[in-house]
Amino acid sequence: MKQRAVSWSFSVWLLLVLVFAAMPVRAGERLFQYSTIDALLAGVYDGELTMGELLKHGGFGLGTFNTLDGEMVVVDGVAYHVTAGGKAVPAPRDAKTPFASVTDFDEDTILKLAPAPNMKAFNAQLVKGLPSANAFYAIRIDGRFPWVKTRAIPGQTKPYRPLAELVKEQVIVKYTNVEGTLVGLWSPAFVKGVNVPGFHWHFLNRERTAGGHVLDCAVDSVVAKVDQLLEFTVKLPAAGAFAGTDLTPDRSSELESVEKGPAQ
């Protein structure tokens, strides 16, 4: 009888081990990405991943839309399409992206930040509070900002030109004394060519009607909610121009000009 009970207990233990081993990792612990930043820099502006499929992997993040039509800001489970000029609307679920990164935001740490006159000072302050520079982080900041300078690029037609050329056509909008949400990602240096090393920020106003890719901003005393992400998943496009694009060149200088913008 005792042997049978021990055998039954071992069977239950083994079953629980197998069940937990088969369970997927919480999305909030993982950053999901579609395509690579170097492919975007090289002019791969069409992807097959829809917003409906993207949002299954997370409700917080950023990216862009097919034909490089504006900026994507994902917050509170909604993907917003910010067009050139700064207007933001919820994106249709069948809209597609050539590049995006999302997670399910699950706050791990809160950082209290002092006022900063620009993004360089703001980022320098924030990076000191990150537990490690070698992890990924999703960062959310809600509040009122003295000013936020954003950009979005109009949709393109083929043949596509490299992104470093197209930023010259970006439409810049400056919001002053604005309430809203900064949606940020930090990626470690070792993902060079795959994602944007360091900080990458997008913005939406409180009404969710305006925003874009952040070129610069100033902050008052704010609270940054930080989600550390220790897993990173990349889904590569299975069709289109990605397979035939030369991704061997070092595009670091192109990325720097794209992220900062020629107006900087």
Side-chain angles (χ1 to χ4, degrees):
M1 186 74 173
K2 183 176 180 181
Q3 183 178 3
R4 186 176 299 173
V6 170
S7 177
W8 182 85
S9 298
F10 177 78
S11 298
V12 171
W13 174 83
L14 180 60
L15 178 61
L16 289 173
V17 169
L18 292 173
V19 168
F20 280 105
M23 289 177 65
V25 176
R26 248 181 350 106
E29 297 174 348
R30 176 176 58 233
L31 182 66
F32 170 85
Q33 180 176 307
Y34 181 68
S35 193
T36 70
I37 191 63
D38 270 10
L40 195 70
L41 289 169
V44 181
Y45 302 150
D46 294 315
E48 293 300 315
L49 191 72
T50 66
M51 292 303 100
E53 294 167 334
L54 178 68
L55 292 174
K56 292 178 183 178
H57 297 279
F60 182 92
L62 46 79
T64 186
F65 292 89
N66 274 11
T67 75
L68 203 68
D69 183 13
E71 303 287 344
M72 179 197 305
V73 191
V74 183
V75 65
D76 296 329
V78 180
Y80 292 89
H81 182 187
V82 182
T83 56
K87 181 180 179 181
V89 295
R93 292 186 67 81
D94 60 354
K96 295 180 179 180
T97 178
F99 177 82
S101 300
V102 295
T103 187
D104 275 329
F105 193 86
D106 185 16
E107 170 192 319
D108 294 320
T109 307
I110 292 180
L111 300 176
K112 295 182 179 180
L113 305 177
N118 53 50
M119 177 164 282
K120 183 178 180 179
F122 165 60
N123 284 344
Q125 184 183 174
L126 183 56
V127 74
K128 292 179 181 178
L130 300 180
S132 168
N134 295 327
F136 294 85
Y137 298 92
I139 307 162
R140 175 171 180 159
I141 301 176
D142 298 285
R144 181 178 293 275
F145 304 90
W147 56 270
V148 181
K149 183 187 291 185
T150 69
R151 70 107 187 276
I153 298 173
Q156 301 297 305
T157 57
K158 295 180 178 179
Y160 294 140
R161 290 173 289 157
L163 184 51
E165 293 183 21
L166 297 179
V167 291
K168 300 172 185 177
E169 302 173 7
Q170 66 186 359
V171 180
I172 296 175
V173 180
K174 185 174 182 179
Y175 305 98
T176 57
N177 194 28
V178 61
E179 289 188 53
T181 303
L182 284 176
V183 172
L185 294 177
W186 163 275
S187 296
F190 59 75
V191 299
K192 173 184 173 182
V194 179
N195 204 317
V196 180
F199 291 109
H200 187 177
W201 295 100
H202 284 194
F203 174 75
L204 274 179
N205 67 356
R206 184 183 63 179
E207 296 78 16
R208 305 305 192 230
T209 58
H213 170 95
V214 180
L215 294 173
D216 203 354
C217 69
V219 300
D220 291 327
S221 297
V222 293
V223 171
K225 299 176 181 178
V226 181
D227 184 11
Q228 187 179 55
L229 309 169
L230 298 179
E231 295 202 14
F232 181 47
T233 299
V234 179
K235 180 179 176 63
L236 299 179
F242 180 87
T245 298
D246 182 7
L247 298 178
T248 58
D250 183 347
R251 302 182 186 275
S252 301
S253 59
E254 294 177 48
L255 179 61
E256 184 177 2
S257 68
V258 165
E259 286 300 299
K260 291 183 178 180
Q264 297 298 297

